[in-house]
Amino acid sequence: MLSNDKSLQLSKRALRKIPGGVNSPVRAWSAVGGTPIFVDSAFGARLVDADGNAFIDYVGSYGPAILGHAHPQVVAAIAEQARKGLGYGATTELEIQLAEKLGAAIASAEKVRLVSSGTEAAMTAIRIARAATGRSAIIKFDGCYHGHSDGLLVRAGSGGMTLAIPNSAGVPQPLAAMTSVARFNSLESVEGCFEANPGSVAAVIIEPVAANMGVVVPMPGFLKELAATARRHGAMLICDEVITGFRLCYGSIAESYGITPDLLVLGKVIGGGMPIGAVAGRADLLDLLAPAGPVYQAGTLSGSPLSVRAGLETLSLLSQPGTYERLEAMGARLAHGLTDALVRSDKSGCVNRVGSLVTLFLGVNNVSDADDARRGDSEAFAAYFHQMLQRGIYLPPSQFEAMFVSLAHSEADIDQTVEAAREALAAA
Ligand SMILES: *Cc1c(COP(=O)(O)O)cnc(C)c1O
């Protein structure tokens, strides 16, 4: 057994002063049980906990750590920037550079507004879409996550997919009722949502590759048909690429699937590990934002020079040749290895992958929407998670998350992970 005395102590202290002991719920390990490790430090693909245990990390800060942790060039850029002041409440050339860099990589990012989180960015995108269309309703997909703003924190109600109910206490029903919930990969359910809200849908928001119910791949043609359906109904298409942006290709995965979103939501990777979010898209839509237009949006730390420097450095490293080939190769090596481990075990399950996003689902043989994902065996996953932890592999502590492979993961890391999975599946 790993020693975890320090983490146990810290957990007790945290629980006294921090709700649930964490500042974001998934960190509490509710889905897998046990006491979460407290992190001391991380470098490259490795994480070291407060007890001194080292793990190969597949959480990667839930996406931002695509270069690996504490990349020397990113750390140096942040340190250099910090010496010039941490923020000014005034615009810097750096912000222009990041907007230009995003625009150069993503054709539909004609203009960009920076914020401090993906939540804010998604919330702002919805507000812009409502202002642009003069409509209120929105359509989201069951299992897709767009941050924790009221209108997006809803799930499908029973008795049909279209009527949403709050997914959290404190979200007023009338707000939740403005959101319809469709089934990922089902155009029929999207049509159903439009029919239930005739002429009143402002926007459809989607993760083009879903990564917050575990990885779920869009079926061929689904995104193109979705874009056409939204357009036919006069609704904006918002692609939430907080995870996928600059992770699956240098830019937007929606665009590489051949669709042009009206608005894009970015975050995670583009901040290089620092807090960030961005709304990007059609210039006429972004110009609805204050002070150019009537849609209010603001932020004390928006466009933080530290986040922007970290983001610029990260993007310039990612733009080097071979980056996405490498991520694809490492993702494929991991997915093949896990699939093989699964086949050799007595467990049922499947591996979903796009590029460096990988999910092993246990207890279910095919996952193409949130209902499939929920059919997974969460007890088996919890056992597998802890077996992997004991073998020095730190996985996301829920089956409904992606494993994030970074450029710092070596072939040997991947092979060690697969070997651990073989043992863990046998033991779990
Ligand atoms: C993480 C995430 C968000 C929210 O971003 P925060 O920075 O955590 O607020 C929104 N959308 C998607 C797809 C995400 O993965």
Side-chain angles (χ1 to χ4, degrees):
M1 287 292 281
L2 294 174
S3 63
N4 70 343
D5 299 348
K6 260 272 176 58
S7 282
L8 281 168
Q9 269 174 34
L10 290 171
S11 173
K12 281 191 192 125
R13 250 175 82 199
L15 282 163
R16 264 182 241 124
K17 280 292 170 195
I18 302 175
V22 293
N23 285 312
S24 197
V26 72
R27 299 177 194 171
W29 290 15
S30 311
V32 294
T35 302
I37 58 166
F38 280 69
V39 176
D40 174 73
S41 58
F43 187 80
R46 294 282 187 298
L47 200 69
V48 177
D49 74 6
D51 290 282
N53 302 304
F55 302 91
I56 302 177
D57 177 34
Y58 288 98
V59 174
S61 192
Y62 289 98
I66 191 166
L67 302 170
H69 293 283
H71 190 286
Q73 271 171 258
V74 177
V75 173
I78 295 169
E80 183 188 84
Q81 192 58 42
R83 284 191 286 272
K84 298 184 186 179
L86 302 179
Y88 320 108
T91 309
T92 60
E93 185 180 351
L94 293 171
E95 292 159 71
I96 310 171
Q97 288 171 0
L98 186 55
E100 287 171 349
K101 227 177 172 68
L102 296 175
I106 303 176
S108 49
E110 294 172 0
K111 284 203 170 177
V112 180
R113 168 67 53 98
L114 295 179
V115 294
S116 298
S117 69
T119 294
E120 277 180 81
M123 188 180 86
T124 301
I126 299 279
R127 188 174 298 154
I128 294 172
R130 284 176 166 154
T133 57
R135 301 170 173 187
S136 303
I138 56 177
I139 297 174
K140 81 175 283 288
F141 290 84
D142 192 15
C144 285
Y145 178 68
H146 308 292
H148 57 92
S149 68
D150 285 342
L152 291 168
L153 214 54
V154 301
R155 62 185 161 86
S158 55
M161 294 297 282
T162 65
L163 187 70
I165 56 174
N167 212 358
S168 160
V171 173
Q173 221 294 314
L175 265 178
M178 284 184 215
T179 306
S180 285
V181 180
R183 185 191 288 266
F184 199 81
N185 276 323
S186 165
L187 284 168
E188 201 186 324
S189 79
V190 174
E191 283 294 358
C193 290
F194 276 111
E195 275 162 31
N197 301 275
S200 66
V201 176
V204 180
I205 183 166
I206 189 165
E207 291 178 72
V209 171
N212 283 290
M213 50 177 141
V215 176
V216 177
V217 186
M219 286 175 181
F222 173 67
L223 292 171
K224 275 196 167 167
E225 287 295 323
L226 176 69
T229 304
R231 188 157 306 118
R232 197 164 61 246
H233 289 278
M236 302 281 134
L237 179 66
I238 304 173
C239 284
D240 182 344
E241 299 218 34
V242 170
I243 283 183
T244 56
F246 295 90
R247 168 157 289 275
L248 300 179
C249 61
Y250 189 79
S252 153
I253 195 65
E255 286 188 354
S256 69
Y257 278 110
I259 64 172
T260 305
D262 298 293
L263 292 164
L264 267 157
V265 182
L266 296 164
K268 296 192 171 126
V269 167
I270 67 159
M274 298 287 288
I276 207 162
V279 196
R282 277 167 44 192
D284 62 314
L285 294 176
L286 268 290
D287 281 338
L288 291 172
L289 285 174
V295 177
Y296 193 69
Q297 188 281 327
T300 302
L301 297 178
S302 290
S304 152
L306 298 184
S307 300
V308 171
R309 267 306 291 279
L312 284 168
E313 199 62 36
T314 298
L315 294 186
S316 83
L317 287 163
L318 290 176
S319 69
Q320 291 170 0
T323 292
Y324 293 92
E325 290 80 357
R326 167 82 192 170
L327 286 165
E328 168 66 24
M330 290 302 103
R333 193 178 183 103
L334 178 62
H336 292 155
L338 291 176
T339 304
D340 183 61
L342 197 56
V343 169
R344 293 179 190 213
S345 77
D346 60 350
K347 304 281 189 299
S348 66
C350 61
V351 177
N352 279 5
R353 177 185 78 92
V354 177
S356 55
L357 298 171
V358 180
T359 297
L360 168 65
F361 289 100
L362 291 177
V364 58
N365 292 325
N366 174 48
V367 177
S368 62
D369 63 28
D371 282 337
D372 292 341
R374 281 188 290 261
R375 276 194 283 275
D377 184 342
S378 44
E379 266 174 47
F381 182 82
Y384 165 73
F385 169 88
H386 284 287
Q387 289 292 339
M388 291 295 272
L389 194 72
Q390 289 301 321
R391 288 168 177 77
I393 314 292
Y394 185 57
L395 300 176
S398 158
Q399 198 160 203
F400 304 120
E401 305 285 352
M403 295 170 78
F404 293 92
V405 178
S406 77
L407 290 165
H409 286 94
S410 66
E411 278 87 349
D413 291 334
I414 302 288
D415 295 349
Q416 189 182 329
T417 304
V418 168
E419 189 49 43
R422 212 166 268 155
E423 294 173 13
L425 288 169

